[in-house]
């Protein structure tokens, strides 16, 4: 087989030559369209007018490329003039226009300030003079800022270094600072001589630029559906992960916190889930580097890392989510779940800026799951024991004491004989325990971050380092992260720019086994809330030399297990990109980048013998698991951006990319315990499990060609079209290549002449798009290939190797396809005091990968086939308003998303697919219904004696006091056939609301989010809310209000504590997953108001409370979004609530 | 650039790094050999699959009446229920046989003289594969009657248009494959490394068995018997085996099932097992005798399972307990000391496969080392007797001699003028728990009379069973899962719903 080394790193030169050939080729294509059209100080302005001076200047403002800043006497401007200029320079025109008007002008870059004659030059020394410097938020000086004394026409503009001086300023004056694209500011002079001002960008400034795939675009010209996260608040809010910050922030971007463990990846779902068995997570692109898509497994974990792991949120400049196919299709076969574009901070030309951020605080469990407390547990234990006793010995009495019972039974039996100590005063020798209190703690968090940025014309840099140290709110849980970043861009020559972004990081997480089935949180909740002192009490129960309590569980104390178990994950990750950009001619760039994401992960697990097993057999267990993942991407693009005839703007990009991911996995499992409890490494293991110890490797390659053209006419009519052709090694031999096209249109109605009169309307833009994208997250790299499995045989007692196919090869296996229509409306009214957008989309995902049943005559039961179809549609609203803009500022932003989800097609016969682990299946995929609808038996009350005599349908040996279930199939008895669809997991709508307030240096923001209309099915109930639970294990507190007798029927939800009919999955474990939560309250104060030092350019102190208030309906667990066991919640821990104090300094 | 990418596009052809895949396999003799070994591997589940769908249905076994969750999968099968299409034990042989057929078709798809350049090796591998494919199809015909015929590799889509075809048409493939195998396979193997491979004579023996089944009275229009009158064809093949002198009856009945006598001259074809945790062990000993307590009593420690099928009193009665039939106590134990409960109890269990030699026990219940005989020389001889009794050329003396040889080894006295019924009775005792009883009854046309006589008895355990069965019980239903895949693709066998 001939093999070529295709990685340019190693086979470089030849490819570079070829890239250059390509460049020349593309240059030829574009250059014949190019003709000169630009403005300059030297000239060529044509103008012929007969009107007022004001109108002439306005006309120049529109056509010359210069912007006029006018603070002058209006009367003069009404003067009629007749002008005719042919190929004249701006200087000539202004000199001519303003002669004899008493006005003068000053040109600074592209801004022209027109002021009363001589006011720019004159310094009137006898008056109070104020000097200062105006910069933007990153410290870069702003020239051309107008500074006016409020209520007068007197003013000035800043020079090229951003400096200004203004004379004759009364001591109590207010200065007004204004600049195009920036928020105007009013500052009281208060007797100061120097006022430095930092101006912030208008968030909806017309020039705002946003990242799109392979480039940037003016926000005003966007025609697809792109959600933006305002990354500024990443610096103002202490969060540990970027995905955590995105919760509830963007319409259509549903971020689910499926785990309460620090450092764990969240699940992001853009516009509903569109895939049944393939990936549902978006593609992440960091600084143009598309990272390997990884999906959450059914345990809610990212086995081989999440793309956002170890990324320091403070390094992030902006986050954009491409939601519709038109925006995302440029990423082709990986785009159907949306694309998250993350841009990190870059240095800017100007003085170096050093910033230091520090925060510290604590976190604790956001809630306790309400379990029976010790008294309630005892009450239930007596109840169950007495019922058992009286049933077996009908002549006995429930008042019989220990000895009488032993005598009646003939021997001791703990199921019918309570511990006499329970009834004694102070229950001697028995500890009442709240296990959640025992395993929860207050965990400390602190974070230190230092960054420096700056630049000259030649070199721009941003470097940062960060250290995060967090103790979880559960014993034994810790998380530490060390990260650094250097983003450096060098202008090699006028034409060539090159840069390198490198971000090494290292994290250490310890999880002693907290979340999920049979993990310590599950155990803590399920353990009886009493232990005997003799058995070690809560802290040492059944560990070391302590055995179990006669009436106690056989588990080990979760406190001891958590404190002594090692479950350490160490991740060392380095993200690197290097790029070079060559500007061939004005507006035509060739760019090439090499990107490498390398992660080394090591997981060590060790649970010592003394906290394992039972007294007679305590054995340590351990394993060592790791992986190395490398994603290498080479991308080469040619891009072009030009405006022709001042009306036609064309920008285009074309390119190719080579994308390769390799994953090496290894694991070693110990068996038979360890030699001692002192050595935790596997060299001390008594044995190594052969079947669980191995290494594997997989690799996939994606090769793509792509292109996009944007065209706008007068920035009013907008068109964007893109296409991508992807070839993936994951696809079958007959379907290696897919093509993904998209088109979108936009119309800025507010720019039309007929809308000009609507003064209140600032922006109105209508958008429509269509596109096709794909999902190549097929679950594995080789799904289309018939793998061979070992099928050995023996001849004459000697083993021989046999190999046979384990699946049907599918040469047609391909991407899942997603087709999206999107309609959007952007609006801004009252000078953008109120602005927002509305989106409507219809998304149909077809060719979904399903393992469908096939006739066994193929040799197999099932085959992976592209066949299913799911439909999502929804509305999204984003609304921002500036309620108050004066000294007291109040801004509100709201997002609201509705999504409906429906299965349209499954296998060849559309047969429903049942799912859900443990006992019978509890969810269903059925045509016409939402995905994973809850499919269980419905509880309709508690069986009364009358019900039973009336022949109510029973499940098995049900009796009076047991739950009453609906006989849905009218068969006369209850069975799995009585299941019905009773809910769906995806919420109908989600929302987020942020209010920010600013007053005199104080700022306050309150962020609330929530979701409604979804249902969750808690398999955790199987542990803590089970019918027929014995007296031993603990249950949720609802069981305190159970049925006790016909006269004491409880609240009608929980039946008799003693039952023997077993259990069938029914609505008792079903909960609404509605919740609302005040996710974050931050209050800050601008210390600059107190510290007047030239050294410090910014200082803020703040306090943040996360997750302190909220409500949900999930009584059977801790986190309504938890996923940890077979796709459901079976022991998810609560979210953390935290209180954090922080300071930011900028020097 | 275009050149660069064209070169790179070959990178899209990735093959698994950590597992073998069909795309890169089947290119050398060794790989074809390994693929053929993989076809043999399908045989591993044959003993228990056969046990549940033949022996358990016969008059040799019954199940204890059970209710609720204690009803086991084999209960409705033993009780001739008509709703067993969804029963997993009805599904297993279907899936397993077709999986073996797919494996054989894979070999046939790839094998060529370009790859296997040694002609002898090529012939052998081709012969083995054809033999095994025929073997799986014969099993399907016996158990289900009409089945879909697949003689190459098919995708799921293609399989959706392959319907069941007549039993006769399946037999065409079976006979062709076995005839080819007889031509291709060696008479014997010299190396002990090849012990257990199929030989020409194994193919002849199975083909003789095929002819006997085809010749049986056609009680069911879709059943395996076609009343074809091919006893002479069978006899010719059986005589060829006998005349080869390659085989002989062992003197001691127990030795046939002894670990140290494996691959003896008694064995014409068997399924080979080895223990030691190589995934080459058998599960059937612990399924045919699934009494956990019995196994523990004899000192076997891994968990086995639950009590399940029971040996019928009819079977005990067939062994003359007053005489010294060595097969009786070897095959079954009636009354034994149960060390778990601490007393002796009457609980007949099959001891044939478990008790001779602890060395056959492995690390767990999937790891038994004992080979399972499919075709013994004794069977070859007795089939010859059957052919003669059914009218093929030969004498009553030949029949009597054969039967008396078998009886002598069992410690019984000679009989004369052996009838077909007597031959069947002798076969029942000789081949107990070897999966022969039910097909013997079917191919002789005695199945309904013998079974209905037994079912009419008054034993308690018969209370759950029907008082009689009809011809629809001769074959099993088509697994419901298969019918459900596509409406109308397969129809259900008569009598089942």
């Amino acid at each position: 087989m001939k093999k070529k080394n295709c990685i340019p790193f190693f086979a470089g030169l030849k490819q570079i030559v070829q890239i250059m050939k390509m460049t020349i080729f593309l240059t030829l294509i574009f250059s014949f369209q190019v003709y000169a059209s630009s403005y300059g100080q030297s000239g060529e302005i044509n103008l012929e007018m007969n009107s007022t001076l004001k109108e002439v200047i306005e006309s120049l403002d529109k056509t010359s490329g210069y912007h006029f800043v006018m603070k002058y006497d209006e009367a003069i401007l009404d003067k009629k003039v007749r002008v005719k200029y042919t190929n004249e320079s701006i200087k000539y025109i202004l000199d001519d226009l303003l002669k004899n008007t008493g006005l003068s002008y000053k040109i600074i870059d592209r801004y022209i300030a027109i002021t009363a004659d001589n006011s720019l030059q004159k310094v009137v020394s006898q008056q109070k003079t104020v000097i200062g410097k105006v910069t933007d938020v990153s410290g870069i000086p702003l020239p051309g800022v107008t500074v006016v004394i409020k209520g007068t026409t007197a003013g000035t503009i800043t020079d090229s270094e951003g400096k200004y001086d203004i004379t004759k300023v009364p001591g109590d004056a207010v200065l007004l600072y204004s600049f195009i694209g920036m928020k105007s500011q009013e500052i009281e002079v208060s007797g100061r001589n120097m006022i430095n001002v930092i101006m912030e960008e208008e968030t909806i400034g017309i020039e705002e630029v946003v990242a799109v795939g392979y480039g940037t675009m003016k926000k005003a010209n966007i025609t697809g559906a792109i959600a933006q996260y305002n990354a500024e608040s990443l610096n103002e809010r202490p969060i540990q992960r970027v995905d955590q910050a995105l919760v509830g922030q963007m319409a259509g971007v549903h971020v689910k916190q499926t785990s309460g463990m620090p450092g764990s990846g969240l699940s992001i779902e853009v516009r509903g889930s569109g895939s049944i068995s393939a990936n549902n997570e978006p593609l992440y692109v960091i600084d143009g580097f598309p990272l390997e898509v990884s999906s959450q497994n059914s345990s809610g974990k990212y086995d081989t890392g999440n793309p956002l792991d170890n990324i320091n949120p403070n390094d992030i400049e902006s986050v954009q989510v491409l939601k519709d196919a038109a925006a995302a299709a440029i990423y082709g076969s990986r785009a159907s779940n949306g694309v998250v574009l993350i841009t990190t901070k870059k240095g800017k030309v100007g003085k170096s800026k050093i910033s230091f951020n520090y925060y510290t605080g604590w976190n604790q469990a956001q809630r306790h799951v309400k379990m029976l407390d010790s008294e309630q547990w005892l009450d239930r234990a007596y109840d169950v024991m007495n019922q058992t006793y009286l049933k077996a010995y009908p002549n006995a009495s429930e008042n019989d004491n220990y000895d009488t019972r032993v005598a009646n039974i003939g021997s001791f039996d703990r199921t019918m004989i309570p511990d006499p100590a329970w009834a004694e005063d102070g229950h001697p020798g028995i500890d009442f325990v709240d296990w959640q209190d025992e395993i929860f703690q207050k965990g400390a968090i602190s974070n230190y971050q230092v960054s420096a940025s700056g630049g000259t014309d030649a070199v721009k840099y941003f470097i940062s380092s960060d250290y995060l140290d967090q103790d979880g709110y559960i014993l034994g849980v810790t998380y530490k992260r060390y990260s650094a970043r250097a983003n450096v861009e060098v202008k090699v020559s006028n034409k060539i720019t090159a840069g390198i972004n490198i971000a090494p990081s290292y994290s250490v997480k310890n999880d002693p086994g907290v979340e999920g089935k049979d993990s310590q949180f599950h155990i803590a909740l399920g353990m009886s809330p009493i232990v005997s002192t003799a058995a070690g009490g809560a802290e040492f129960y059944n560990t070391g030399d302590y055995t179990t309590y006669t009436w106690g569980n056989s588990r080990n104390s979760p406190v001891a297990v958590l404190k002594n178990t090692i479950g350490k994950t160490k991740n060392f990750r380095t993200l690197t990109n290097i790029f070079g950009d060559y500007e061939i001619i004005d507006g035509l760039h060739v760019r090439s980048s090499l990107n490498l994401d390398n992660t080394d992960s090591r997981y060590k697990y060790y649970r010592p013998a003394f906290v394992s097993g039972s007294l007679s057999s305590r054995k340590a267990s351990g394993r060592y698991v790791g992986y190395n993942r490398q994603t290498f991407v080479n991308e080469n693009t040619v891009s072009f951006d030009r405006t022709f005839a001042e009306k036609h703007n064309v920008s285009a990009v074309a390119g190719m990319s080579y994308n390769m991911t390799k994953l090496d996995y290894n694991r070693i499992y110990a068996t038979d315990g360890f030699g001692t409890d002192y050595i935790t490494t596997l060299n001390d293991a008594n044995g190594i499990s052969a079947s669980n110890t191995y290494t594997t490797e997989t690799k996939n390659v994606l090769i793509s060609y792509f292109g996009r053209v944007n065209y706008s006419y007068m920035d009013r009519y907008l068109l964007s079209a893109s296409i991508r052709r992807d070839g993936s090694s994951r696809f079958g031999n007959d379907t290696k290549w897919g093509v993904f096209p998209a088109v979108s249109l936009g119309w800025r109605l507010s720019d039309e002449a007929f809308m000009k009169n609507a003064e209140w309307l600032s922006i109105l833009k209508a958008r429509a798009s269509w596109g096709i994208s794909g999902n190549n997250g097929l679950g594995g790299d080789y799904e289309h290939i018939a793998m061979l499995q070992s099928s050995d045989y023996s001849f004459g007692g000697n083993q021989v190797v046999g190999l046979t196919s384990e699946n049907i090869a599918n040469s047609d296996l391909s991407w899942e396809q997603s087709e999206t229509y999107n309609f959007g409306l952007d609006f801004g009214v009252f000078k953008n005091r109120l602005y927002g957008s509305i989106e409507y989309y219809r998304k149909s995902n077809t060719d979904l990968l399903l393992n469908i049943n096939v006739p066994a005559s193929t040799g197999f039961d099932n085959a992976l086939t592209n066949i299913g179809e799911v439909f999502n549609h929804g509305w999204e609203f984003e609304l921002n308003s500036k309620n108050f803009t004066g000294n007291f500022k109040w801004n509100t932003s709201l997002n609201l998303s509705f999504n409906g989800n429906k299965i349209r097609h499954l296998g060849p016969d559309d047969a429903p697919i049942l799912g859900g682990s443990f006992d019978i299946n509890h969810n269903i995929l059925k045509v016409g219904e939402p995905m994973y609808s809850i499919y269980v038996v419905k509880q309709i009350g508690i069986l009364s004696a009358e019900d039973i005599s009336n022949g109510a349908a029973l499940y098995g040996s049900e009796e009076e006091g047991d739950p009453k279930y609906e006989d849905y199939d009218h068969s006369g008895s209850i069975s799995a056939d009585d299941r019905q669809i009773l809910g769906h997991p995806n919420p109908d709508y989600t929302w987020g609301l942020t209010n920010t307030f600013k007053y005199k240096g104080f700022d306050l923001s309150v962020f609330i989010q929530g979701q409604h209309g979804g249902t969750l099915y808690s398999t955790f109930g199987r542990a803590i809310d089970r019918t027929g639970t014995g007296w031993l294990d603990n249950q949720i507190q609802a069981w305190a209000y159970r049925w006790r007798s016909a006269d004491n029927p409880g609240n009608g939800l929980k039946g008799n504590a003693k039952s023997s009919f077993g259990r069938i999955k029914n609505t008792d474990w079903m909960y609404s997953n509605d919740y609302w939560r005040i996710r974050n309250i931050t209050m800050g104060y601008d210390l600059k108001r107190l510290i007047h030092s030239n050294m410090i350019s910014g200082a803020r102190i703040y306090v943040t409370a996360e997750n302190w208030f909220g409500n949900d309906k999930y009584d059977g667990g801790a986190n309504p979004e938890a996923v940890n066991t077979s796709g459901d919640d079976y022991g998810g821990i609560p979210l953390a609530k935290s209180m954090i104090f922080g300071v930011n300094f900028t020097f | 650039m275009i050149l660069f990418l064209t070169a790179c596009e070959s990178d899209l052809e990735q093959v698994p790094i950590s597992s073998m895949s069909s795309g890169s396999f089947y290119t050398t003799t060794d790989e074809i050999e390994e693929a053929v070994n993989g076809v043999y591997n399908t045989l591993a589940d044959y003993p228990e699959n056969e046990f549940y769908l033949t022996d358990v249905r016969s008059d040799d076994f019954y199940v204890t009446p059970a209710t609720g969750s204690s009803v086991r999968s084999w209960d409705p099968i033993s009780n001739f229920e008509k709703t067993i299409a969804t029963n997993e034990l009805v599904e297993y042989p279907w899936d397993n046989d077709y999986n073996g057929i797919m494996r054989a078709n894979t070999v046939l798809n790839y094998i060529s003289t370009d790859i296997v350049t040694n002609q002898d090796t090529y012939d052998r591998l081709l012969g083995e594969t054809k033999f095994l494919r025929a073997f799986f199809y014969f099993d399907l015909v016996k158990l289900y009657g009409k089945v879909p015929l697949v003689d190459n590799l098919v995708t799921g889509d293609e399989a959706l248009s392959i319907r069941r075809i007549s039993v006769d048409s399946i037999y065409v493939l079976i006979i062709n494959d076995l005839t080819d195998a007889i031509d291709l396979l060696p008479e014997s193997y010299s190396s002990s490394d090849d012990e257990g491979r199929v030989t020409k004579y194994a193919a002849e023996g199975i083909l003789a068995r095929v002819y006997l089944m085809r010749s049986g009275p056609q009680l069911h229009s879709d059943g395996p018997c076609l009343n074809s009158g091919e006893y002479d064809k069978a006899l010719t093949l059986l005589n060829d085996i006998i005349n080869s002198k390659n085989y002989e009856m062992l003197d001691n009945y127990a030795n046939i099932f002894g670990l140290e006598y494996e691959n003896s001259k008694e064995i014409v074809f068997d399924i080979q097992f080895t223990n030691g945790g190589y995934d080459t062990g058998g599960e059937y000993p612990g399924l045919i005798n699934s009494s956990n307590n019995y196994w523990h009593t004899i000192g076997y420690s891994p968990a086995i399972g639950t009590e399940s099928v029971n040996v019928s009193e009819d079977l005990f009665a067939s062994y003359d307990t007053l005489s010294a039939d060595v097969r009786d106590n070897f095959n079954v134990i009636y009354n034994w000391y149960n060390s778990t409960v601490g007393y002796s109890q009457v609980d007949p269990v099959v001891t044939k496969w478990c008790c001779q030699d602890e060395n056959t026990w492995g690390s767990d219940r999937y790891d038994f080392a004992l080979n399972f005989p499919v075709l013994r020389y004794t069977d070859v001889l007795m089939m010859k007797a059957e052919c003669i009794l059914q009218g093929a050329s030969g004498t009553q003396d030949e029949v009597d001699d054969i039967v008396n040889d078998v009886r002598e080894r069992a410690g019984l006295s000679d009989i004369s003028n052996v009838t077909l019924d007597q031959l069947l009775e002798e076969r029942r005792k000789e081949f107990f728990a070897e999966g022969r009883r039910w097909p013997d009854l079917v191919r002789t046309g005695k199945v309904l009379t013998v079974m209905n006589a037994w079912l009419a008895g008054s034993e308690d355990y018969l209370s759950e069973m029907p008082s009689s069965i009809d011809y629809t019980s001769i074959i099993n239903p088509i697994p419901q899962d298969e019918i459900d895949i596509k409406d109308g693709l397969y129809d259900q066998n008569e009598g089942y719903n």
Side-chain angles (χ1 to χ4, degrees), chain A residues 308-329:
Chain A
L308 299 180
D309 283 346
N310 286 13
I311 304 276
N312 173 12
N314 278 307
D315 287 346
I316 289 173
E317 171 90 32
S318 71
V319 179
Q320 264 105 34
V321 180
L322 312 180
K323 297 192 289 189
D324 69 343

Side-chain angles (χ1 to χ4, degrees), chain A residues 1051-1115:
Chain A
N1051 65 4
L1053 296 173
K1054 299 296 173 193
N1056 190 354
K1058 166 92 178 81
S1059 72
S1060 56
F1061 69 91
R1063 64 179 181 270
I1064 185 162
K1065 279 184 173 167
N1066 70 86
T1067 45
D1068 59 357
W1069 303 343
M1070 194 173 95
Y1071 299 89
S1072 159
N1073 64 13
D1074 293 359
Y1075 72 80
W1076 66 268
R1077 202 171 281 147
I1078 301 185
R1079 198 92 192 181
N1080 175 277
I1081 302 173
T1082 299
M1083 180 132 131
Y1085 180 70
D1086 180 9
L1087 282 182
K1088 275 291 282 173
R1089 298 214 163 214
L1090 302 175
I1091 309 169
H1092 299 292
S1093 158
N1094 285 339
M1095 250 187 59
I1096 297 169
S1097 60
R1100 179 171 175 265
I1101 183 166
Y1102 63 88
V1103 55
T1104 282
E1106 294 253 350
N1107 283 336
W1108 280 77
F1109 308 99
N1111 192 24
D1112 64 49
K1113 298 170 179 170
Y1114 188 22
D1115 297 329

